[in-house]
Amino acid sequence: MSRYVQPVPAPDDPYAGDALLRSWLERQLGAAGHAAAKDRLADLAAEVTGPLRAAHADAEAHPPTLVRYDPWGARIDRIDTSPGWEAQRAAAARHAVVALPYLESARGTWGAAARVVQHALLHLYGPESATFSCPVAMADGAAALLSLPEVDPAVRDAWLPRLVSTDPATAITSGQWMTESQGGSDLARSSTTGRPAADGSWRLTGEKWFCSAADSAMAVALARPEGAGRGSRVLAPFLVPRYAADSPLATGEAPDAPAPGVTVHRLKDKLGTRALPTAEIGLRDAYALPLGDPASPGLARAMTLVVVTRVHNAAAAAGGMRRGLAYARAYASARHVAGGALAVSPLHRATLGALAVDAAGAFVLAGHAFALLGRVEVGADPAAAAELRIVAPLAKLATGRLAVASASEYVESFGGAGYVEDTGVPRLLRDAQVLPIWEGTTNVLALDVLRAVTREDAGPPLLRRLDAAADLARPVSPALADTLAGVTGELRERLAGVAADPQSTAVVAGARGLALRLAHTLTAALLVEHAAWGDEQAELAARLWARRWLRHEDVAADAHHGLELLC
């Protein structure tokens, strides 16, 4: 008797096979703009399905290692990474995954919508990048921070071109050294200090507890300038060169040695993102360059970086959900149970259909955040800035939770094979779990939503979008319009209660529920907007999303019938 081996077909091309992605680009960019992006997207998709998929597997199989000493006992703190990780690094530069929104050619072609094209690149690249999408996000955030007018032009000119280079030989990424063990997300407890040097540079001393992409050439670190006082607002962002080659304090060290004053204590042994080197790093009079005037409160400047990384987090969640769905559908087409293909089982089809609704919702939510970001950066659009202030945390918190729930379902859809590490399927769940944690947990972000509502009046632009979407939905689906209008009215009352007494126990305790309700309603509105443009898939997704997440109904039967359209 021959041994049975289950065939596992590859999923569809991630660009050509994703109808929602292509229609979204057609709407956001126009036909000519989408045509200008097609070759770039098709080229990346082809590499993702070939060499980058192999590089992804190699990087996962060979996680980074820390070499503390050379053979003669000198401290070198070298982080060794796999060829697969380096292939992902080169591809990110070559395909301009970070650089695109900063390139004059891209802004000339797409204007503010260059961020829309970047989101499409991330949607294709991220899910099988071995989480190189994390240093991509932080490099983009650092580039946005360096682009601020208050940053010293000499610092900008020395580092920004390297962050946005499309040449793998010169392109760098950035780490992010913010959290400390005693404070975590409570930045007010940060104890890293900075003192000025005579040449205009600074020296940082402290301990950073969770430093992602610790192999990057630079990092943005938060420190408390000498004499700045307590609290978080006074913290200032600094650029810290990671290697001796970029530190004026180096005297004879090898270029790839750590910069003087920078010590890598250990690499983190994490649940997921295992290919990504994350470290605990100590600073002892480490050379640093201020990003803006350290004498003025700097946390607001650092939020430029945080907003960018939050929307990248949403893109990673949505992209992972879509790729997981593609793998689950491909497996279902080949797996036979109870005398037939799993793909024709009404129960399994209903499960995949509901997951497709969630993936569509996550995609438009992340996509909207990127579109707003582009309008803020290129057009200095005040309306977009006001809306982005609340959309960035909403998109991040909602997609992060959706990604974990979806990943659990994808693992389950493979049965026992989904629980076996060498199939690669468990990684979907392990890596998804970081998404609700990095750049703020759900509760931290929910409190940030409250601050956006009470301190920056971010509620009205969101409510206007929801009202407009209810009007758009009425000619197509009165029931959907009524649902949107009813929930929007409920949210308007709840936001008024927040404004009236933002510190009340009821408001603070209910912040998570309110934030998720806002995010789910916004997602329904965004699907309605895309449906009104003429997308049939978005129309069905909008109807089912509203029933699933706003009315909490079972959509199994309709998800089963609509699976092909939803995918």
Side-chain angles (χ1 to χ4, degrees):
M1 179 178 178
S2 62
R3 183 170 178 268
Y4 175 76
V5 177
Q6 173 67 52
V8 183
D12 291 340
D13 178 285
Y15 172 59
D18 192 334
L20 182 60
L21 169 63
R22 288 184 282 106
S23 72
W24 180 265
L25 293 171
E26 196 79 7
R27 173 178 156 230
Q28 296 284 339
L29 305 177
H34 187 193
K38 281 181 179 177
D39 287 348
R40 180 184 291 275
L41 296 167
D43 288 348
L44 176 55
E47 195 163 347
V48 164
T49 58
L52 288 184
R53 191 164 284 164
H56 165 85
D58 176 71
E60 287 289 328
H62 303 95
T65 56
L66 173 61
V67 180
R68 290 191 175 88
Y69 298 96
D70 73 5
W72 302 100
R75 186 75 183 251
I76 57 174
D77 285 357
R78 187 182 72 236
I79 296 174
D80 289 340
T81 54
S82 69
W85 184 252
E86 297 309 313
Q88 293 288 352
R89 182 193 307 278
R94 199 167 53 248
H95 291 281
V97 182
V98 174
L100 190 82
Y102 301 91
L103 299 178
E104 288 302 322
S105 58
R107 289 191 173 185
T109 301
W110 298 293
R115 281 286 186 185
V116 174
V117 182
Q118 183 197 33
H119 172 231
L121 292 171
L122 292 165
H123 193 69
L124 300 175
Y125 172 79
E128 289 169 288
S129 67
T131 59
F132 199 85
S133 53
C134 176
V136 160
M138 293 187 293
D140 191 355
L145 181 53
L146 280 162
S147 298
L148 294 178
E150 54 264 45
V151 171
D152 183 342
V155 176
R156 181 186 307 116
D157 293 345
W159 290 92
L160 182 58
R162 299 170 68 187
L163 287 167
V164 301
S165 172
T166 57
D167 179 358
T170 59
I172 64 169
T173 57
S174 176
Q176 198 169 307
W177 302 351
M178 296 194 180
T179 58
E180 301 174 8
S181 57
Q182 73 276 10
S185 63
D186 182 5
L187 295 178
R189 299 178 66 187
S190 295
S191 60
T192 298
T193 58
R195 62 178 179 83
D199 62 356
S201 65
W202 284 60
R203 304 292 179 267
L204 304 190
T205 296
E207 296 290 328
K208 296 298 185 180
W209 186 80
F210 208 90
C211 304
S212 291
D215 59 334
S216 294
M218 58 163 281
V220 174
L222 283 180
R224 190 179 306 280
E226 279 187 346
R230 305 179 62 162
S232 62
R233 291 179 66 253
V234 298
L235 297 176
F238 292 86
L239 187 157
V240 182
R242 168 74 174 81
Y243 297 108
D246 294 309
S247 174
L249 302 184
T251 53
E253 292 92 340
D256 60 349
V262 177
T263 302
V264 182
H265 295 312
R266 63 171 177 165
L267 295 183
K268 299 287 193 181
D269 185 7
K270 298 165 293 178
L271 170 67
T273 66
R274 293 177 177 174
L276 171 69
T278 305
E280 293 178 24
I281 290 178
L283 303 173
R284 295 292 180 274
D285 283 335
Y287 177 85
L289 297 167
L291 298 175
D293 180 4
S296 65
L299 190 61
R301 288 195 302 280
M303 285 303 296
T304 298
L305 181 154
V306 171
V307 168
V308 171
T309 51
R310 282 178 176 175
V311 301
H312 272 262
N313 198 95
M321 291 168 69
R322 175 66 198 183
R323 196 67 53 83
L325 177 64
Y327 272 100
R329 289 192 70 216
Y331 181 73
S333 70
R335 181 65 176 167
H336 282 255
V337 295
L342 186 58
V344 302
S345 162
L347 178 57
H348 197 67
R349 286 174 57 84
T351 301
L352 293 179
L355 290 166
V357 171
D358 290 354
F363 173 78
V364 299
L365 190 52
H368 181 55
F370 272 86
L372 290 173
L373 179 61
R375 287 167 50 196
V376 171
E377 291 176 332
V378 174
D381 184 335
E387 190 174 355
L388 182 63
R389 176 63 186 90
I390 194 169
V391 167
L394 289 178
K396 193 275 186 190
L397 72 87
T399 58
R401 295 190 65 77
L402 285 169
V404 173
S406 294
S408 180
E409 291 282 8
Y410 295 141
V411 170
E412 187 177 343
S413 74
F414 282 84
Y419 203 66
V420 177
E421 280 289 352
D422 57 8
T423 66
V425 178
R427 180 195 63 79
L428 296 174
L429 184 55
R430 288 191 286 100
D431 286 356
Q433 188 60 64
V434 77
L435 296 168
I437 296 173
W438 185 58
E439 288 299 10
T441 63
T442 305
N443 284 357
V444 167
L445 289 165
L447 294 175
D448 192 42
V449 169
L450 291 187
R451 284 191 291 272
V453 169
T454 56
R455 298 179 187 176
E456 300 173 58
D457 201 25
L462 189 63
L463 292 171
R464 285 193 292 271
R465 184 174 295 278
L466 303 184
D467 287 333
D471 292 338
L472 283 174
R474 193 157 301 281
V476 178
S477 172
L480 175 57
D482 287 344
T483 297
L484 269 173
V487 176
T488 302
E490 166 209 320
L491 290 172
R492 184 172 277 107
E493 290 183 6
R494 292 182 68 177
L495 291 176
V498 170
D501 191 359
Q503 299 302 320
S504 74
T505 299
V507 166
V508 176
R512 173 192 284 238
L514 174 61
L516 288 168
R517 190 71 165 162
L518 285 166
H520 293 158
T521 312
L522 172 61
T523 301
L526 295 171
L527 287 168
V528 165
E529 290 176 5
H530 198 51
W533 173 78
D535 187 276
E536 189 179 3
Q537 179 183 357
E539 181 182 332
L540 178 58
R543 293 172 187 263
L544 295 184
W545 177 278
R547 289 177 53 199
R548 178 168 164 77
W549 291 106
L550 301 186
R551 287 156 47 185
H552 305 294
E553 296 176 359
D554 187 350
V555 299
D558 289 328
H560 152 61
H561 290 301
L563 178 61
E564 279 72 28
L565 178 58
L566 288 167
C567 293

